[in-house]
Amino acid sequence: MARYRILALDGGGIRGLIAAILLQRLSAVPALRGWLEQVDLLAGTSTGGLLALGIAKGFSLQTIRGLYETQGARIFDDSWLDDLQDLGTLMGADYDIHHLETILRDLFGTTTLAQLEKRVLIPTFDLDTHVDEPTQRTWQPKLFHNFPGPDSDGEQLAYKVGVYTSAAPTYFESVDGYIDGGVYASNPAMCALAQSQDARQHDRPLLEDVVLFSLGTGTSLTYIAGARLDWGDVQWVKPLIALMFDGVAGIADYQCRQLLGDHYHRLAPLFPVGTRIPMDAVARIPDMIAFATTVPLETTIQWIETHWL
């Protein structure tokens, strides 16, 4: 059976620019010409979800990259009035997600998931299922996809799903009851692999035919010193968000590597020691561009040549 190719794209806010540049660089390699067009499933969380939806819509990588460079400041616009109303960040989200929603609505228009050119899988988290049966009303992961079948989300508007998966807690408010899927799948690689093995799909590939490329948005070397931390809610809340996002990304990497072996590859470039680029660091765009244009790609190029093409 032919290869089944999956591209999984991490979350990371404005650092999605790094992933866009890395994809551009790989696509510019003559030996890899057309590799991205061969993808069968695009999975993306948060900013990775926006990349996945944009590629599936058929936008060029330059167009997608340009959105980060030209619209990033608008998306992460923290006005003094908003800070005053929210008492800084104590009583409200850092940013108004309306700006992102407007940009995505203008970009995707009325395009539905079913109208995209590629299969997509976009993790979000549903805060309330709103069912009448008390034993079934709870919060739960929600993976939007456009595969055929009774649970297909093909009728959902692409821009709306993009907003849902981007609604990172503390950064943005929830939208229609959904928040960023990064709370359980900041790296959506394992979710994508599981989706590819859905027994309800008549064209389900064999596991040995799956090749999966997982792409990160830049990783900081982060740790919390101290053998015993007697912390409470106030001390843990911010570290826990970063810890949770990094932790689930790491476990997905482990699981995919164990299941797929050489058919799996992850490119998650490390920032230099002491460098942190937060999800909303719009002022660091020049630094991100400089970093992304110098990340070594030889191992990734060789893997794509050997296992993807």
Side-chain angles (χ1 to χ4, degrees):
M1 186 174 177
R3 290 183 177 91
Y4 187 90
R5 302 170 177 89
I6 299 173
L7 175 61
L9 301 157
D10 282 18
I14 194 65
R15 297 198 311 269
L17 173 61
I18 293 172
I21 294 173
L22 293 175
L23 289 173
Q24 273 191 310
R25 290 180 59 199
L26 291 170
S27 297
V29 175
L32 305 186
R33 189 179 306 278
W35 77 275
L36 190 54
E37 286 72 23
Q38 294 181 342
V39 69
D40 294 291
L41 171 59
L42 289 152
T45 301
S46 193
T47 196
L50 303 185
L51 285 164
L53 291 167
I55 294 169
K57 171 67 174 173
F59 295 129
S60 70
L61 292 173
Q62 183 57 45
T63 296
I64 297 170
R65 170 181 173 172
L67 288 172
Y68 288 96
E69 295 175 320
T70 63
Q71 301 295 333
R74 182 180 172 195
I75 294 168
F76 295 104
D77 177 21
D78 193 21
S79 69
W80 68 268
L81 180 58
D82 179 66
D83 276 350
L84 180 63
Q85 292 172 333
D86 294 340
L87 301 180
T89 58
L90 292 177
M91 300 294 292
D94 286 346
Y95 307 104
D96 185 348
I97 204 167
H98 173 73
H99 300 301
L100 175 62
E101 185 169 10
T102 299
I103 291 167
L104 295 182
R105 185 172 59 242
D106 291 344
L107 187 64
F108 288 96
T110 59
T111 300
T112 64
L113 296 188
Q115 293 170 328
L116 297 174
E117 298 175 4
K118 299 284 186 180
R119 293 275 187 255
V120 295
L121 183 76
I122 311 295
T124 68
F125 195 87
D126 187 357
L127 295 175
D128 184 354
T129 53
H130 291 289
V131 296
D132 294 331
E133 173 53 53
T135 61
Q136 297 179 15
R137 186 174 183 180
T138 184
W139 58 19
Q140 63 182 12
K142 166 61 180 174
L143 294 122
F144 285 89
H145 67 80
N146 57 359
F147 284 77
D151 65 340
S152 177
D153 301 294
E155 80 287 353
Q156 294 290 330
L157 292 170
Y159 91 85
K160 272 289 189 181
V161 175
V163 176
Y164 296 158
T165 193
S166 301
T170 76
Y171 289 92
F172 297 109
E173 66 264 35
S174 64
V175 179
D176 297 339
Y178 293 103
I179 60 172
D180 189 339
V183 297
Y184 67 94
S186 56
N187 169 0
M190 191 59 195
C191 292
L193 181 58
Q195 179 66 34
S196 78
Q197 297 301 294
D198 188 342
R200 295 171 297 177
Q201 301 300 319
H202 73 276
D203 56 350
R204 173 169 60 107
L206 297 173
L207 187 63
E208 56 262 35
D209 293 322
V210 174
V211 290
L212 198 161
F213 177 25
S214 174
L215 181 60
T217 60
T219 302
S220 299
L221 295 167
T222 306
Y223 59 89
I224 300 176
R228 302 185 70 173
L229 301 173
D230 186 17
W231 286 2
D233 294 349
V234 173
Q235 296 101 324
W236 271 115
V237 62
K238 275 292 187 180
L240 266 179
I241 292 173
L243 185 153
M244 177 176 58
F245 278 40
D246 287 349
V248 296
I251 196 63
D253 177 50
Y254 169 79
Q255 291 165 330
C256 289
R257 196 173 303 280
Q258 294 298 107
L259 289 170
L260 296 178
D262 290 342
H263 281 196
Y264 170 77
H265 177 75
R266 178 160 171 81
L267 174 59
L270 282 172
F271 294 128
V273 174
T275 298
R276 286 192 67 256
I277 300 183
M279 292 169 54
D280 56 350
V282 177
R284 304 286 297 280
I285 283 178
D287 297 331
M288 285 184 271
I289 294 172
F291 173 75
T293 54
T294 57
V295 170
L297 295 180
E298 289 78 12
T299 301
T300 300
I301 292 170
Q302 183 178 14
W303 181 86
I304 293 175
E305 286 185 295
T306 303
H307 298 288
W308 184 284
L309 295 177

